[in-house]
Amino acid sequence: MNIDAVRDALSHLDLEKSKAAIRAKSRDFFWYSPVLKDRLDGVEADLVVSPRSEAEVIEVLKACYAHDVPVTTRGAGTGNYGQAMPLAGGCVMHLQHMNAVREVHPGRVIVEPGCLLKDLDAECKAQSGQEIRMFSSTWATATIGGFIAGGSGGVGSVHWGNLRDLGNIIRLRVVTMEAEPRILEFRGEELARVSHAYGTNGIITEIEIPLAPAYDWVELFVTLDDFPSASRFALDLARESGILSKLVSVYEAPTAHSYFPRIQPHVTPGSQLIGLMIAPHSMDGFETFLARRGDAKVIWNSQVGGWDRQPGTVFEYGWNHTTLRALRVDPSITYLQVRYGEADPVEQVERIRARLSPEVLQHLEVLRDAGRPIFAGLSLVKFTTEDRLNEIVEIHESEGAMIFNPHRYTLEEGGRQRVDDRQLAFKREADPKGLLNPGKMISWDQPAWSYDRMYAFDRLRRVAAE
Ligand code: FAD
């Protein structure tokens, strides 16, 4: 790879000059995993370039292709799994300038990939009283391109399901990594080639996604005394098809008391906490649901207020923000991403709790899957050793839960432990030299990989801190 030639060829673009900034822009939130922290600390790009348009993206790709320089795309770098880290060095292409909201229509928006989720939401609301259907809990800092290429779902998924579900992405415009990059438009079945592919087989330069009516969501915290009642409450609430919710999260005690300082004065160590976002017109339905359950108590309602120190937005307690809050208090905490899809997920969670609590504390997010509410778990794990972490994964699997392992940096290991033929086939077509985000797709590097141990990319390049 000839870095100097690429730097010269791109010298008229926005090239990062500061060494410290290059290091910072080579990192993401990989460090939530002690396993990845150990493996990936010191990974660093040789250069960072921020194109301002699709034409400049093409210039970057052409220059890097000509000189065999790897390209790792960056939205805001809030991903976990080391998704946005340039494992083999080379070029980080930062899409921060490509942030225009191009068109807002009834039911859909067309936007550039570098637009922050919060800015996209604000623009849709201002122009048309609409909002995006779902967003990562990193709404304030993450980009829509990073969400589609690296995320899975989040706030809104209780109603709309995962990003990959049909209808949640309308169209993606993609640039290939070839001597003469091509511009392709994907819809329908083709979307799966590049969505959640970590930018390993094409660069997304324009996105069209559906919108929903915007509401001033009512934010609530509810407590119950025992965990199965709390998880049952959450599931039953999501099953009430007439009550529109955007977030239904459950936190096993003592999470609220130990890790949520602003909530601590209002709970006991034994309080099981539920975080909710409910549409204002659904509050009557919600109050009726609540009245039928004698055991649940509302401790916070954003319409009422009343706490000396307000808790802040409820969704910044949910999804992977729970891990962040726990880590701030206890740095030995890490997490696992779990799917509890049995007919009665409450029972499935209870079996795992019986074997692992309190070493593993349950944090559940209700998610609509093929029309029915199930649980996604972003469980808090008290980390001791890698071996024990692997045992905990096996215990989950032995109880029929699926793990999307956040202690691995490849697409396959962080996903369903198998090759995605559509993504691999498109990589062969769109990135023949294998220069896009190298080391993230095992099936490209080692097609015969057996998945019986952690994959280790053989060109991993780490630079010692100065
Ligand atoms: P980045 O981290 O910059 O990139 C993510 C991946 O996408 C990388 O592989 C990158 O190379 C690739 N990429 C970025 N832009 C493009 C493009 N234009 N074309 C091709 N590839 C591209 N995730 C969820 O899904 N739901 C959550 O609720 C959630 N909550 C989180 C909470 C916390 C506290 C943290 C730290 C993370 C959370 N995440 C969550 C993960 C992450 O924040 C989201 O997936 C986020 O949307 C990623 O956006 P980003 O702009 O930071 O992407």
mmCIF file of all heavy atoms in Angstrom, residues 292-312:
data_model
loop_
_atom_site.group_PDB
_atom_site.id
_atom_site.type_symbol
_atom_site.label_atom_id
_atom_site.label_comp_id
_atom_site.label_asym_id
_atom_site.label_seq_id
_atom_site.Cartn_x
_atom_site.Cartn_y
_atom_site.Cartn_z
ATOM 1 N N ARG A 292 -55.094 -1.989 36.125
ATOM 2 C CA ARG A 292 -55.409 -3.422 36.195
ATOM 3 C C ARG A 292 -54.307 -4.218 36.894
ATOM 4 O O ARG A 292 -54.500 -5.367 37.255
ATOM 5 C CB ARG A 292 -55.599 -3.989 34.782
ATOM 6 C CG ARG A 292 -56.881 -3.529 34.139
ATOM 7 C CD ARG A 292 -57.000 -4.167 32.770
ATOM 8 N NE ARG A 292 -58.154 -3.648 32.055
ATOM 9 C CZ ARG A 292 -58.376 -3.852 30.768
ATOM 10 N NH1 ARG A 292 -57.528 -4.565 30.048
ATOM 11 N NH2 ARG A 292 -59.452 -3.358 30.202
ATOM 12 N N ARG A 293 -53.096 -3.630 36.981
ATOM 13 C CA ARG A 293 -51.980 -4.324 37.631
ATOM 14 C C ARG A 293 -51.731 -3.617 38.946
ATOM 15 O O ARG A 293 -51.143 -2.555 38.967
ATOM 16 C CB ARG A 293 -50.695 -4.254 36.806
ATOM 17 C CG ARG A 293 -50.871 -4.079 35.332
ATOM 18 C CD ARG A 293 -50.883 -5.301 34.563
ATOM 19 N NE ARG A 293 -49.751 -6.165 34.798
ATOM 20 C CZ ARG A 293 -49.415 -7.152 33.951
ATOM 21 N NH1 ARG A 293 -50.091 -7.368 32.856
ATOM 22 N NH2 ARG A 293 -48.409 -7.931 34.233
ATOM 23 N N GLY A 294 -52.138 -4.215 40.016
ATOM 24 C CA GLY A 294 -52.003 -3.540 41.302
ATOM 25 C C GLY A 294 -50.563 -3.348 41.731
ATOM 26 O O GLY A 294 -50.257 -2.507 42.573
ATOM 27 N N ASP A 295 -49.628 -4.106 41.119
ATOM 28 C CA ASP A 295 -48.271 -4.159 41.662
ATOM 29 C C ASP A 295 -47.310 -3.124 41.088
ATOM 30 O O ASP A 295 -46.175 -3.011 41.544
ATOM 31 C CB ASP A 295 -47.690 -5.579 41.451
ATOM 32 C CG ASP A 295 -47.845 -6.062 39.999
ATOM 33 O OD1 ASP A 295 -48.563 -5.389 39.224
ATOM 34 O OD2 ASP A 295 -47.260 -7.094 39.658
ATOM 35 N N ALA A 296 -47.707 -2.346 40.093
ATOM 36 C CA ALA A 296 -46.771 -1.417 39.452
ATOM 37 C C ALA A 296 -47.005 0.012 39.918
ATOM 38 O O ALA A 296 -48.145 0.450 40.075
ATOM 39 C CB ALA A 296 -46.942 -1.491 37.936
ATOM 40 N N LYS A 297 -45.884 0.744 40.109
ATOM 41 C CA LYS A 297 -45.999 2.118 40.618
ATOM 42 C C LYS A 297 -45.223 3.061 39.700
ATOM 43 O O LYS A 297 -44.036 2.808 39.410
ATOM 44 C CB LYS A 297 -45.382 2.123 42.022
ATOM 45 C CG LYS A 297 -45.506 3.408 42.764
ATOM 46 C CD LYS A 297 -45.042 3.201 44.210
ATOM 47 C CE LYS A 297 -44.365 4.470 44.681
ATOM 48 N NZ LYS A 297 -43.237 4.268 45.544
ATOM 49 N N VAL A 298 -45.877 4.122 39.224
ATOM 50 C CA VAL A 298 -45.169 5.115 38.395
ATOM 51 C C VAL A 298 -44.366 6.017 39.328
ATOM 52 O O VAL A 298 -44.927 6.646 40.226
ATOM 53 C CB VAL A 298 -46.166 5.962 37.573
ATOM 54 C CG1 VAL A 298 -45.437 7.082 36.826
ATOM 55 C CG2 VAL A 298 -46.935 5.079 36.589
ATOM 56 N N ILE A 299 -43.039 6.072 39.112
ATOM 57 C CA ILE A 299 -42.226 6.966 39.958
ATOM 58 C C ILE A 299 -41.807 8.226 39.193
ATOM 59 O O ILE A 299 -41.410 9.212 39.784
ATOM 60 C CB ILE A 299 -40.984 6.249 40.542
ATOM 61 C CG1 ILE A 299 -40.070 5.709 39.412
ATOM 62 C CG2 ILE A 299 -41.398 5.147 41.516
ATOM 63 C CD1 ILE A 299 -38.683 5.342 39.913
ATOM 64 N N TRP A 300 -41.867 8.182 37.867
ATOM 65 C CA TRP A 300 -41.538 9.382 37.071
ATOM 66 C C TRP A 300 -42.468 9.456 35.877
ATOM 67 O O TRP A 300 -42.688 8.457 35.183
ATOM 68 C CB TRP A 300 -40.079 9.330 36.593
ATOM 69 C CG TRP A 300 -39.764 10.387 35.562
ATOM 70 C CD1 TRP A 300 -39.605 10.208 34.221
ATOM 71 C CD2 TRP A 300 -39.574 11.789 35.791
ATOM 72 N NE1 TRP A 300 -39.339 11.396 33.595
ATOM 73 C CE2 TRP A 300 -39.305 12.393 34.531
ATOM 74 C CE3 TRP A 300 -39.607 12.599 36.936
ATOM 75 C CZ2 TRP A 300 -39.078 13.753 34.392
ATOM 76 C CZ3 TRP A 300 -39.376 13.955 36.783
ATOM 77 C CH2 TRP A 300 -39.113 14.525 35.535
ATOM 78 N N ASN A 301 -43.030 10.642 35.661
ATOM 79 C CA ASN A 301 -43.860 10.895 34.480
ATOM 80 C C ASN A 301 -43.436 12.267 33.967
ATOM 81 O O ASN A 301 -43.555 13.265 34.691
ATOM 82 C CB ASN A 301 -45.347 10.876 34.898
ATOM 83 C CG ASN A 301 -46.277 11.229 33.744
ATOM 84 O OD1 ASN A 301 -45.905 11.953 32.824
ATOM 85 N ND2 ASN A 301 -47.515 10.736 33.811
ATOM 86 N N SER A 302 -42.915 12.323 32.758
ATOM 87 C CA SER A 302 -42.346 13.579 32.244
ATOM 88 C C SER A 302 -43.408 14.671 32.128
ATOM 89 O O SER A 302 -43.075 15.858 32.117
ATOM 90 C CB SER A 302 -41.664 13.349 30.893
ATOM 91 O OG SER A 302 -42.584 12.812 29.958
ATOM 92 N N GLN A 303 -44.704 14.300 32.060
ATOM 93 C CA GLN A 303 -45.760 15.323 31.998
ATOM 94 C C GLN A 303 -45.978 15.960 33.368
ATOM 95 O O GLN A 303 -46.516 17.052 33.477
ATOM 96 C CB GLN A 303 -47.078 14.702 31.530
ATOM 97 C CG GLN A 303 -47.114 14.385 30.047
ATOM 98 C CD GLN A 303 -48.465 13.867 29.607
ATOM 99 O OE1 GLN A 303 -49.120 13.120 30.327
ATOM 100 N NE2 GLN A 303 -48.884 14.232 28.416
ATOM 101 N N VAL A 304 -45.601 15.242 34.411
ATOM 102 C CA VAL A 304 -45.844 15.709 35.780
ATOM 103 C C VAL A 304 -44.576 16.305 36.384
ATOM 104 O O VAL A 304 -44.602 17.338 37.061
ATOM 105 C CB VAL A 304 -46.347 14.529 36.657
ATOM 106 C CG1 VAL A 304 -46.557 14.980 38.102
ATOM 107 C CG2 VAL A 304 -47.623 13.936 36.077
ATOM 108 N N GLY A 305 -43.428 15.692 36.124
ATOM 109 C CA GLY A 305 -42.152 16.158 36.693
ATOM 110 C C GLY A 305 -42.125 15.943 38.189
ATOM 111 O O GLY A 305 -42.677 14.957 38.686
ATOM 112 N N GLY A 306 -41.462 16.863 38.912
ATOM 113 C CA GLY A 306 -41.539 16.808 40.357
ATOM 114 C C GLY A 306 -40.261 16.370 41.067
ATOM 115 O O GLY A 306 -40.169 16.501 42.277
ATOM 116 N N TRP A 307 -39.261 15.853 40.333
ATOM 117 C CA TRP A 307 -38.016 15.489 41.020
ATOM 118 C C TRP A 307 -37.102 16.716 41.095
ATOM 119 O O TRP A 307 -37.091 17.537 40.165
ATOM 120 C CB TRP A 307 -37.265 14.390 40.267
ATOM 121 C CG TRP A 307 -37.910 13.033 40.312
ATOM 122 C CD1 TRP A 307 -39.110 12.709 40.860
ATOM 123 C CD2 TRP A 307 -37.374 11.828 39.746
ATOM 124 N NE1 TRP A 307 -39.367 11.375 40.678
ATOM 125 C CE2 TRP A 307 -38.316 10.797 40.003
ATOM 126 C CE3 TRP A 307 -36.203 11.493 39.057
ATOM 127 C CZ2 TRP A 307 -38.117 9.480 39.600
ATOM 128 C CZ3 TRP A 307 -36.003 10.188 38.654
ATOM 129 C CH2 TRP A 307 -36.947 9.189 38.936
ATOM 130 N N ASP A 308 -36.309 16.800 42.149
ATOM 131 C CA ASP A 308 -35.348 17.901 42.256
ATOM 132 C C ASP A 308 -34.357 17.834 41.100
ATOM 133 O O ASP A 308 -34.043 18.833 40.462
ATOM 134 C CB ASP A 308 -34.570 17.814 43.576
ATOM 135 C CG ASP A 308 -35.466 18.183 44.745
ATOM 136 O OD1 ASP A 308 -36.542 18.757 44.488
ATOM 137 O OD2 ASP A 308 -35.103 17.856 45.893
ATOM 138 N N ARG A 309 -33.829 16.622 40.876
ATOM 139 C CA ARG A 309 -32.901 16.431 39.740
ATOM 140 C C ARG A 309 -33.623 15.549 38.731
ATOM 141 O O ARG A 309 -33.891 14.379 38.999
ATOM 142 C CB ARG A 309 -31.609 15.767 40.204
ATOM 143 C CG ARG A 309 -30.808 16.663 41.144
ATOM 144 C CD ARG A 309 -29.546 15.968 41.603
ATOM 145 N NE ARG A 309 -28.539 15.958 40.545
ATOM 146 C CZ ARG A 309 -27.659 14.974 40.358
ATOM 147 N NH1 ARG A 309 -27.683 13.921 41.143
ATOM 148 N NH2 ARG A 309 -26.747 15.040 39.402
ATOM 149 N N GLN A 310 -33.916 16.119 37.570
ATOM 150 C CA GLN A 310 -34.659 15.379 36.547
ATOM 151 C C GLN A 310 -33.789 14.247 35.985
ATOM 152 O O GLN A 310 -32.566 14.381 35.935
ATOM 153 C CB GLN A 310 -35.015 16.341 35.422
ATOM 154 C CG GLN A 310 -35.682 17.594 35.924
ATOM 155 C CD GLN A 310 -37.016 17.846 35.255
ATOM 156 O OE1 GLN A 310 -37.275 17.357 34.175
ATOM 157 N NE2 GLN A 310 -37.846 18.599 35.918
ATOM 158 N N PRO A 311 -34.410 13.165 35.547
ATOM 159 C CA PRO A 311 -33.597 12.027 35.112
ATOM 160 C C PRO A 311 -32.956 12.181 33.736
ATOM 161 O O PRO A 311 -32.050 11.435 33.388
ATOM 162 C CB PRO A 311 -34.606 10.879 35.089
ATOM 163 C CG PRO A 311 -35.941 11.514 34.899
ATOM 164 C CD PRO A 311 -35.858 12.862 35.544
ATOM 165 N N GLY A 312 -33.409 13.177 32.926
ATOM 166 C CA GLY A 312 -32.948 13.223 31.533
ATOM 167 C C GLY A 312 -33.815 12.289 30.710
ATOM 168 O O GLY A 312 -34.735 11.654 31.231
#
